Amino acid sequence: MIISWDEYFMGVALFSAYRSKDPHTQVGACIVNEDKHIVGVGYNGMPNGCDDHEYPWGRTGEFAEQKYPYVVHAELNAILNASTSLKGCRIYTSLFPCNECCKAIIQSGIREVIYLSDKYATADSTKASKRMLASANVTCRRMETELTEVPVRFTPEE
């Protein structure tokens, strides 16, 4: 099986999402430069030094008892983990980025967003994201593939 570059880089984003401890939404991101080199990866999780077990992962109740004020999104983590300038790069993300991540994407110089899911397309934050990305001339496209899965083995071939 030979996979396309888009499938490969989205696969890295999806594989990164498995590192997330979020019981509701695991998101991964992979940033790639013009030479098709991975320069940053990330997943949604708590900031460094903040124990995953000491902070809430819920989505309801008092704001301070929800995950939202604490979690660093996959796209921002990938940007913060980047090993080089991101000018002209592409970001592959399993979920269309929120408005806060879009600000970081635009400011970092990323020129293209490739996403897999747009399940929050009707949310105000997604509408704001799309407006900002369009204004900043950042290309967005949903990844098209006929693949539904790629088998991964953790045993050596004998």
Side-chain angles (χ1 to χ4, degrees):
M1 166 189 289
I2 305 292
I3 60 175
S4 71
W5 284 113
D6 276 351
E7 291 163 341
Y8 174 71
F9 295 128
M10 188 60 77
V12 171
L14 291 169
F15 213 69
S16 297
Y18 283 113
R19 289 286 309 139
S20 174
K21 311 277 188 315
D22 190 326
H24 306 288
T25 307
Q26 291 179 302
V27 180
C30 176
I31 303 174
V32 180
N33 70 14
E34 293 167 326
D35 294 325
K36 295 185 174 74
H37 295 164
I38 296 171
V39 296
V41 294
Y43 55 89
N44 57 317
M46 297 298 167
N48 289 335
C50 295
D51 189 324
D52 294 323
H53 303 293
E54 292 181 24
Y55 287 86
W57 288 102
R59 300 182 289 187
T60 59
E62 297 285 326
F63 185 67
E65 296 307 315
Q66 298 174 25
K67 66 181 179 176
Y68 303 111
Y70 309 107
V71 170
V72 180
H73 287 185
E75 301 90 341
L76 184 57
N77 261 328
I79 289 167
L80 295 171
N81 290 332
S83 60
T84 188
S85 167
L86 302 181
K87 273 199 179 316
C89 287
R90 298 184 314 259
I91 188 167
Y92 289 81
T93 182
S94 56
L95 182 63
F96 195 92
C98 73
N99 61 303
E100 293 299 321
C101 288
C102 279
K103 293 176 202 176
I105 287 167
I106 292 164
Q107 288 297 96
S108 69
I110 291 172
R111 302 307 310 149
E112 185 175 16
V113 174
I114 300 99
Y115 61 95
L116 198 57
S117 171
D118 194 9
K119 72 178 181 177
Y120 299 113
T122 60
D124 289 339
S125 65
T126 304
K127 291 175 184 175
S129 295
K130 291 177 180 178
R131 180 179 178 183
M132 285 187 287
L133 291 166
S135 292
N137 294 315
V138 175
T139 304
C140 296
R141 66 179 165 93
R142 186 177 205 141
M143 195 185 105
E144 300 293 331
T145 182
E146 294 187 18
L147 287 178
T148 57
E149 63 182 39
V150 176
V152 176
R153 286 187 296 272
F154 284 94
T155 55
E157 291 187 31
E158 303 285 327

